[in-house]
Amino acid sequence: RITIVENRNRNRLTFSRKMAAAKSTGVFSSIWNAASKAYYNVAGWNKLGLLYQDLYHEFDPDVKEAIRRLPPTVYDARIYRIRRALDLSMRHRILPKSEWTKQEEEVRYLEPFLDEIRLEREEKARWNKQ
């Protein structure tokens, strides 16, 4: 049982120790995982064989630079997934369920490059301030 106690002195809510105990047992993580899995299956890009980061737009300069820095094999796989998804979409079809991208197989392949680009941009801004 979770109780919320109002702290009248500071006008904010504080959770009881029972809340902390429930959180540490993984109740919330199991709820979060179930909701995440439901969203992943409803979103639809996995039915076309796409990964989440295949949906990133190249209009963002950071994403464009990250894609430029991808190794050739990763870049080619990305282009293949996007072209296949466009073809399926134009034909109003989806992949067989055995070929859907599974949440466990999801790879954040652009993330290291995006982090690196953001750090470079911040470093450049610091240098320009001096």
Side-chain angles (χ1 to χ4, degrees):
R1 182 175 175 201
I2 299 172
T3 57
I4 299 175
V5 180
E6 185 177 348
N7 186 342
R8 294 181 190 270
N9 296 336
R10 297 185 186 197
N11 288 331
R12 71 179 196 203
L13 300 176
T14 36
F15 296 155
S16 69
R17 290 184 185 185
K18 292 179 184 177
M19 178 80 156
K23 193 172 187 179
S24 66
T25 59
V27 171
F28 291 107
S29 65
S30 63
I31 293 170
W32 178 260
N33 289 340
S36 172
K37 189 167 187 153
Y39 172 74
Y40 191 85
N41 289 327
V42 170
W45 70 80
N46 64 324
K47 297 174 184 175
L48 298 173
L50 292 171
L51 298 174
Y52 179 71
Q53 290 190 337
D54 291 338
L55 305 175
Y56 284 13
H57 291 286
E58 293 185 35
F59 301 123
D60 180 9
D62 290 348
V63 173
K64 188 172 187 175
E65 178 61 22
I67 291 171
R68 189 189 68 75
R69 293 182 185 187
L70 284 174
T73 55
V74 177
Y75 178 78
D76 291 342
R78 179 181 196 273
I79 295 300
Y80 172 77
R81 288 189 304 270
I82 292 172
R83 286 183 179 172
R84 179 177 61 178
L86 287 171
D87 182 54
L88 289 167
S89 179
M90 286 189 309
R91 292 187 292 138
H92 301 284
R93 304 223 190 273
I94 60 172
L95 290 172
K97 194 162 188 163
S98 62
E99 294 183 33
W100 289 5
T101 308
K102 295 167 189 61
Q103 189 174 16
E104 299 81 32
E105 298 171 355
E106 187 72 35
V107 177
R108 302 276 182 166
Y109 63 92
L110 280 178
E111 210 62 41
F113 298 101
L114 290 171
D115 292 341
E116 183 180 314
I117 291 165
R118 289 178 186 130
L119 288 173
E120 288 173 2
R121 188 172 7 95
E122 291 170 5
E123 184 179 359
K124 186 176 180 181
R126 281 195 306 267
W127 273 100
N128 289 337
K129 282 184 181 178
Q130 295 178 357

